[in-house]
Amino acid sequence: MSERALVLGGGGSTGNAWEIGVVAGLCDAGLDVTEADLIIGTSAGSTAAAQLSVATTAAELLAAILAAAPPPRNGPVGSDRGGVPSRPVAALEMDAAPQSALAAAAGAHRGCRCPYR
């Protein structure tokens, strides 16, 4: 009897969803890798391994991930607010706040070591 392990890698939330999608695709193709004796991973792979270990099927887990995904955007970035700013928003906010105000805001958190004080 040989022992088999499924080892998953990292990649943040995208890697987590991608790995679950690949496992679901392999299951659909007839190769159920979740039957491995050991399922482990690193970083996002560890969360995918945990999810795959307790899920009913990889396809149901993938369906839950896809159902939670935000709807795709239409149009240029920022158009969902009614208009595209002529300058980057961060630049508009920085122009209105002098460095001393930024330093005060950064130092407002107790124990913060702000270099501008």
Side-chain angles (χ1 to χ4, degrees), residues 1-58:
M1 175 200 263
S2 65
E3 293 185 34
R4 297 174 299 152
L6 173 62
V7 182
L8 303 170
S13 58
T14 302
N16 181 285
W18 184 84
E19 289 172 334
I20 291 169
V22 167
V23 170
L26 289 170
C27 288
D28 284 346
L31 179 61
D32 188 0
V33 295
T34 62
E35 293 177 351
D37 300 308
L38 178 65
I39 302 175
I40 58 174
T42 299
S43 192
S46 64
T47 60
Q51 291 170 313
L52 290 166
S53 296
V54 299
T56 306
T57 66

Side-chain angles (χ1 to χ4, degrees), residues 1 8 11 17 30 33 40 51 60-63 73 77 89 91 94:
M1 175 200 263
L8 303 170
V33 295
I40 58 174
Q51 291 170 313
E60 289 175 355
L61 186 54
L62 179 61
R73 291 180 177 236
V77 174
V89 175
M94 292 298 290

